[in-house]
Amino acid sequence: MSNKLHTEDLIRKRLEGAELSPSPESWSAIQRKLRWPQFLRFYPGRFNIYYLGVLLIAATTLVLLVAVNRDRGELPVQEKETTAISPIEASREEALKASEKKTSGENNTKENSPDASHSPLTKKAAPGQETISRSTETGKEEESSREPQENMNMPVVIFPNTTAEQEQAAPPVTYFTSSVQSGCAPLRVQFTDQSVNASSHHWDFGTGEESSEPNPEYVFKEPGRYMVSLSTTNHSSLETISRLLIEVADRPVADFQIEEGLKGIDNHVVLNLVNYSSDASLFEWCLVDESAANCSAWSSGEQQPNLELKAITPDSRSVRLKVISEYGCIDTTTMPLPLVVQSSDTRIKFANAFSPNPSGPGDGSFVPGSKRLDLFYPIYIEVPVEFHMRVFTRRGEQIFETREIYQGWDGYIFQEPAPGDVYVWMAEGKWTDGLSFSLRGDVTLVWNKNW
Amino acid sequence: MNGEKDILAGCIKGKQSAQWELYTRYSRLLLAICNRYARNMDEAEDILQEGFVKIFLNIKEFKGDGPLLAWMRRIMINTAITHYHKMLKHRYHDDLAEVAESKFEDKGWGETDFTEDELFRVIQQMPDGYRQVFMLYAMEGYKHREIAGIMKIDENTSKSQYSRGRRWLQERLIKLKVERKHKDE
């Protein structure tokens, strides 16, 4: 050798840029070690303790708000909302009765609720919409009744120290409908005013936001129960109020991670789908192809399924998770697959060179998963159900044949070392999914003196 | 997600897919580096895992003022040294003085005298103190003063450990060559 190297140079030259393959467990070990620290830190793209904190604070605030709102609402909120809608005519009748009462001599009526005996339908339903009325002049707020009434849109009109004009002015009758009364956050609701004699509108959505439009559309972004109220005023500043409860259910959050793992007797690679979703009761997993339009091939309803590599088709690009909450609210998320299967052939690979053990022939069998440089054999990500490999010399003589995947060619022909040369191999077989492969190639045999 | 910038951005957000890309891209190279500071493959993989956890958690700190690989490499080496300090307690401490002074001269080696596997094996057999100092000096180009700081030893100790480690290595390599000659005959 002409170029003699110092020990340092030798080590440096040979080992700089050297590569070693870590065992497949390393990646999952790293992810396992990362789980807690990553949960405790803030990452925008990951569910972590900060998001959890925000969620908790939001939930607490909501609970408090609802509690405060309940205290304020003069009426105990009914658990079940019925959408009983009284015809406006009914309210007019009632209003008429009310004014009749008034005209029959009660000049300073403070409370004038249509009492239960006047309404034959009172006990039939318990609607959440309630109507009260108050005098804007006295500022005194009066309740119509503590009992929920069937004719919920019935305004109660209070006539303060009546003057002649006020007596003649028709009182406003406040009533409104909503497109929906419950749904998943964010919930878009169209409110429609059905009031009579209203000249101005004031909506309070129970969220701190207000509107003066006659028919507003409002989006409830956060889950919760909201008492929506509409107050209308007529030309004589008489004001009546109507209320309706809107329920907004929590939307579940779909979240998961893909971790690589090993399974089965031959330790084949699987993908573990680790579920981090919240507020979900049903799960729908599927493999999504490149166009992201179809859920193809594989799907599962398990909470944390394993995804076997053989289920992955060449089109598969990502995994989609759809979660459904107990209220029927839905959320979906998609994660890219960490690997792509190009075809059935990419599940198996052959080396293009090997260097037999010079000390003598062996039987060519090896331990699954071991890395042997002295044998010619394929590596694969899934064990084929059928396998047949043959090796030929360049002249076409068959020198090796096996139907056993755990057996390779040791580089010997009839116990004699095969000459260092290029050899042709052919391999065919079948995968568990029924697809078959038929491959050929060449391999260079090198006798390494430094073995 | 192909560019290093995209991978980096993904890792900063804590995306697992980006972490996986980074891992598949560099784990083999980094494992070989870890292996130079370890006693065996198991220990090397431990260091690799610990190092990657540090990389993923601290990737925000990477300023982009140099190649990403150099930054990750530094983390791996620091992890390896920390690991070595931790392990000191549990290990039988090699008596370095017992290694005899060699009479062999450094005649020099052919580049292909040994396989990578053989070199790795010899390095793993090296007494711990020798290996860390030798690798830091010869492979990473640290100065003895810096090595003294990292290893928490005296600067002169670093120098003497280095020259002894070098001699130990030479002896081993010569032995290996002689053994092989006997085998061939």
Side-chain angles (χ1 to χ4, degrees), chain B residues 119-157:
Chain B
L119 290 177
F120 269 130
R121 219 170 304 142
V122 169
I123 285 163
Q124 285 178 343
Q125 285 163 0
M126 233 171 145
D128 290 334
Y130 291 170
R131 179 175 53 240
Q132 316 296 353
V133 173
F134 185 86
M135 287 298 155
L136 287 173
Y137 190 85
M139 296 292 294
E140 322 299 342
Y142 282 92
K143 305 262 184 321
H144 279 301
R145 190 167 27 81
E146 294 169 310
I147 296 171
I150 296 168
M151 297 286 294
K152 295 173 189 147
I153 51 174
D154 191 76
E155 196 179 324
N156 288 325
T157 315

Side-chain angles (χ1 to χ4, degrees), chain A residues 78-93:
Chain A
Q78 296 298 119
E79 276 305 312
K80 280 261 171 181
E81 295 292 336
T82 58
T83 46
I85 295 164
S86 295
I88 292 168
E89 281 72 27
S91 61
R92 277 184 180 154
E93 253 176 50

Side-chain angles (χ1 to χ4, degrees), chain A residues 410-421:
Chain A
D410 58 5
Y412 285 78
I413 306 171
F414 300 118
Q415 309 294 312
E416 289 299 319
D421 198 354

Side-chain angles (χ1 to χ4, degrees), chain A residues 387-425:
Chain A
F387 179 70
H388 184 202
M389 180 175 82
R390 286 171 292 167
V391 181
F392 303 88
T393 64
R394 281 207 279 192
R395 286 182 300 281
E397 302 154 299
Q398 181 176 318
I399 47 169
F400 177 77
E401 181 176 22
T402 184
R403 291 183 184 275
E404 177 58 63
I405 189 85
Y406 300 131
Q407 191 190 17
W409 180 38
D410 58 5
Y412 285 78
I413 306 171
F414 300 118
Q415 309 294 312
E416 289 299 319
D421 198 354
V422 175
Y423 293 84
V424 177
W425 54 266

Side-chain angles (χ1 to χ4, degrees), chain A residues 127-148:
Chain A
Q129 195 171 12
E130 166 219 12
T131 310
I132 64 162
S133 119
R134 68 178 170 218
S135 152
T136 49
E137 281 173 34
T138 60
K140 266 188 197 160
E141 198 173 352
E142 298 293 340
E143 284 180 12
S144 60
S145 165
R146 288 215 170 256
E147 289 292 316

Side-chain angles (χ1 to χ4, degrees), chain A residues 1 3-8 10-27 29-31 33-34 37-38 41-46 256-260 335-336 338-339 373 448-451, chain B residues 11-14 16-17 19-20 23 27-29 31-32 35-36 41 45 48-49 52-53 56-58 60 73 106-116 118-120 123 134-135 138-139 162 166 169-170 173 180:
Chain A
M1 304 241 175
N3 283 334
K4 289 289 179 185
L5 296 168
H6 288 291
T7 308
E8 288 94 332
L10 173 77
I11 301 274
R12 213 176 287 141
K13 270 223 160 118
R14 293 304 306 275
L15 297 191
E16 185 66 69
E19 294 196 348
L20 289 169
S21 289
S23 63
E25 290 87 9
S26 265
W27 169 248
I30 290 167
Q31 287 298 322
K33 287 175 188 170
L34 275 172
Q38 281 189 341
R41 280 179 189 217
F42 181 78
Y43 288 98
R46 208 177 244 277
F256 71 98
Q257 308 260 307
I258 301 176
E259 284 183 7
E260 220 162 301
M335 283 280 290
L339 47 87
L373 302 171
N448 191 347
K449 281 182 197 131
N450 296 333
W451 218 85
Chain B
C11 286
I12 289 170
K13 284 184 195 145
Q16 200 189 30
S17 53
Q19 293 177 346
W20 170 250
Y23 177 80
S27 60
R28 271 163 295 136
L29 203 65
L31 182 61
N35 202 29
R36 300 202 291 251
M41 264 306 257
E45 290 214 21
L48 181 82
Q49 290 166 16
F52 261 109
V53 168
F56 290 145
L57 289 179
N58 298 306
K60 259 183 270 178
R73 187 190 172 121
D106 189 355
K107 284 183 189 148
W109 309 99
E111 199 178 329
T112 52
D113 279 2
F114 306 98
T115 67
E116 257 172 44
E118 279 173 327
L119 290 177
F120 269 130
I123 285 163
F134 185 86
M135 287 298 155
M139 296 292 294
Y162 177 75
R166 184 171 185 274
L169 208 55
Q170 279 171 17
L173 292 176
R180 190 188 289 148

